[in-house]
């Protein structure tokens, strides 16, 4: 194995043509929780192509307090004011980070206001609402991107390159896991993730989507069938079907992925792809505060592959802004997100019926 060939030539931003602008994409952040204040806004501030100018919250005072600490935020408005079109001249795009079942109304309003939309995954709580999201964006010719930050994560992008360059031969099996003790990370038993109506599911919906979607990205394929088992054991998870979940995805060409997820287990994340001639593994993989690591096994040798550690959210926002500035269709769009929603719901169906569920 030529190690020098593995460490050179990788361009983490092979999508980038424009590196600066005098007219940055202005974002309205819809939802001003910890993810927005600790992850999204700092990422936008660190980038070159976008800025945060509007905050939208149920609590105007909370939004105003956050705005006071920002050099770029011009308006702090309520959800109702957003739907009424307040401050609509002050932003070009929205970032939606409300509970899953509340994504659609903000997408509808943003599309009607002719704004571009970056929506957190999973895109909605039900298949029907996710389908409506795609429809309304099509009706208004609105740009919609689902926020899968693994698509711009250098470790995952380099792993995809290695697979495509043939270092593992023909891909056969993906193994992916994402687990966390959610009630330690967010010590609130009344949080929306544990409310089935708001979340649409728990472990598989919220974090199982990472190994699911990253499997699709690495294999450049969509699953055709799924089987799986979910369970809620502890009382705190009584309102959701899946405190824990495990599922298998069948892909075309006899490729398979086995994914596990839990909201009540040791914090861990990894994904690996095993092929006929080798294996590539990213561990840690999915949590943005971990330094990611990439390893390749090939021809009896295992090597660590170097790449630049980055802020995943900064890469995601810069990519989306770059697409808007260069009039490029972003990846992944709403149709891509729909595949995950359909697959996740099939996992729940497979568990309930103890059967294999075929996907369209």
């Amino acid at each position: 194995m030529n190690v020098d060939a593995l460490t050179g030539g990788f361009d983490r931003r092979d999508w980038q043509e424009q590196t600066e602008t005098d007219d940055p994409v202005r974002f309205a952040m819809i939802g001003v929780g910890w993810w927005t204040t600790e992850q999204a806004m700092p990422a936008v501030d660190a980038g070159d192509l976008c800025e945060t100018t509007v905050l939208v919250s149920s609590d105007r005072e909370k939004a105003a307090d956050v705005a006071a600490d920002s050099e770029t935020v011009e308006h702090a408005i309520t959800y109702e004011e957003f739907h009424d079109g307040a401050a609509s001249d002050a932003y070009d795009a929205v970032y939606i980070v409300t509970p899953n079942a509340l994504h659609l109304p903000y997408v509808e309003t943003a599309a009607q206001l002719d704004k571009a939309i970056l929506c957190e995954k999973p895109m909605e709580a039900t298949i029907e609402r996710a389908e409506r999201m795609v429809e309304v964006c099509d009706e208004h010719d609105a740009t919609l991107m689902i926020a899968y930050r693994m698509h711009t994560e250098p470790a995952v992008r380099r792993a995809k390159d290695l697979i495509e360059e043939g270092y593992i031969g023909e891909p056969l099996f993906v193994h992916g896991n994402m687990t966390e003790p959610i009630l330690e990370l967010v010590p609130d038993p009344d949080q929306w993730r544990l409310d089935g109506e708001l979340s649409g599911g728990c472990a598989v919906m919220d974090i199982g989507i990472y190994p699911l979607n990253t499997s699709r990205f690495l294999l450049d394929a969509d699953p055709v069938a799924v089987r799986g088992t979910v369970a809620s054991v502890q009382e705190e998870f009584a309102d959701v079907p899946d405190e824990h979940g495990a599922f298998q995805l069948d892909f075309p060409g006899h490729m398979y992925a086995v994914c596990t997820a839990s909201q009540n287990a040791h914090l861990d994340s990894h994904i690996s792809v095993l092929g006929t001639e080798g294996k590539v593994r990213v561990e840690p993989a999915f949590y943005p505060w971990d330094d990611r690591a990439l390893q390749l096994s090939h021809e009896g040798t295992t090597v660590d592959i170097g790449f630049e550690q980055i802020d995943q959210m900064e890469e995601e926002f810069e990519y989306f802004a770059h697409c808007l500035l260069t009039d490029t269709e972003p990846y992944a769009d709403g149709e891509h997100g729909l595949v995950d929603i359909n697959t996740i719901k099939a996992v729940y169906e497979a568990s309930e019926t103890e059967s294999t569920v075929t996907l369209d």
Side-chain angles (χ1 to χ4, degrees), residues 56-334:
V56 187
S57 173
S58 61
D59 186 336
R60 184 199 303 278
E61 183 176 344
K62 175 183 178 181
D65 287 344
V66 175
D69 293 329
S70 170
E71 296 181 358
T72 60
V73 175
E74 303 169 356
H75 302 276
I77 62 176
T78 65
Y79 292 141
E80 293 77 10
E81 289 170 332
F82 170 78
H83 289 304
D84 289 339
S88 59
D89 291 339
Y91 62 94
D92 311 299
V94 300
Y95 173 56
I96 301 173
V97 65
T98 59
N100 301 338
L102 303 180
H103 289 174
L104 177 58
Y106 300 102
V107 169
E108 291 175 323
T109 295
Q112 292 164 6
L113 292 172
D114 195 28
K115 306 300 180 182
I117 301 153
L118 178 61
C119 181
E120 262 304 334
K121 55 85 215 141
M123 57 191 295
E124 249 289 351
T126 70
I127 294 172
E128 294 74 21
R129 293 174 66 82
E131 290 175 338
R132 176 56 189 156
M133 185 183 296
V134 174
E135 290 173 357
V136 74
C137 289
D138 287 345
E139 290 169 4
H140 294 276
D141 196 25
T143 297
L144 171 64
M145 175 177 152
I146 309 304
Y148 295 105
R149 64 179 188 270
M150 291 302 107
H151 295 176
T152 48
E153 161 56 50
V156 173
R157 292 177 68 83
R158 188 67 181 106
K160 184 177 177 67
D161 280 354
L162 293 170
I163 294 168
E164 292 176 347
E165 291 166 9
Y167 281 98
I168 69 166
E170 296 297 322
L172 297 173
F173 302 112
V174 181
H175 297 92
N177 175 75
M178 189 171 187
T179 51
E180 63 188 14
I182 189 61
L183 286 171
E184 292 180 18
L185 298 175
V186 184
D188 177 8
D190 296 323
Q191 62 180 280
W192 66 265
R193 289 175 183 83
L194 305 184
D195 181 330
E197 293 296 319
L198 287 176
S199 66
C202 190
V204 177
M205 193 76 165
D206 190 40
I207 56 178
I209 195 171
Y210 282 91
L212 160 58
N213 185 265
T214 308
S215 296
R216 294 174 57 203
F217 182 68
L218 291 172
L219 298 178
D220 193 24
D222 293 337
V224 295
V226 62
R227 58 194 62 83
T229 301
V230 301
S232 286
V233 180
Q234 300 300 320
E235 181 180 353
E236 295 88 345
F237 296 87
D239 292 334
V240 292
D242 54 329
E243 176 183 349
H244 315 291
F247 54 97
Q248 177 183 311
L249 308 169
D250 296 356
F251 288 89
H254 304 289
M255 299 184 294
Y256 308 93
V258 175
C259 305
T260 49
S262 175
Q263 292 283 28
N264 191 21
H266 175 71
L267 188 75
D268 182 78
S269 74
H270 60 79
I271 192 162
S272 63
V273 184
L274 178 73
T276 55
E277 300 176 20
K279 180 177 74 172
V280 63
R281 182 179 182 88
V282 182
E283 184 178 11
F286 303 132
Y287 290 103
W289 47 79
D290 287 334
D291 282 349
R292 275 71 65 195
L294 174 61
Q295 190 176 78
L296 173 67
S297 300
H298 176 75
E299 296 180 344
T301 301
T302 297
V303 296
D304 295 323
I305 308 298
F307 57 91
E308 183 180 358
Q309 297 287 340
I310 51 83
D311 184 315
Q312 290 180 345
M313 292 297 289
E314 181 181 339
E315 295 294 291
E316 181 177 80
F317 275 106
E318 287 288 277
Y319 170 74
F320 183 61
H322 184 273
C323 289
L324 298 181
L325 292 170
T326 59
D327 196 26
T328 303
E329 189 71 23
Y331 178 87
D333 62 10

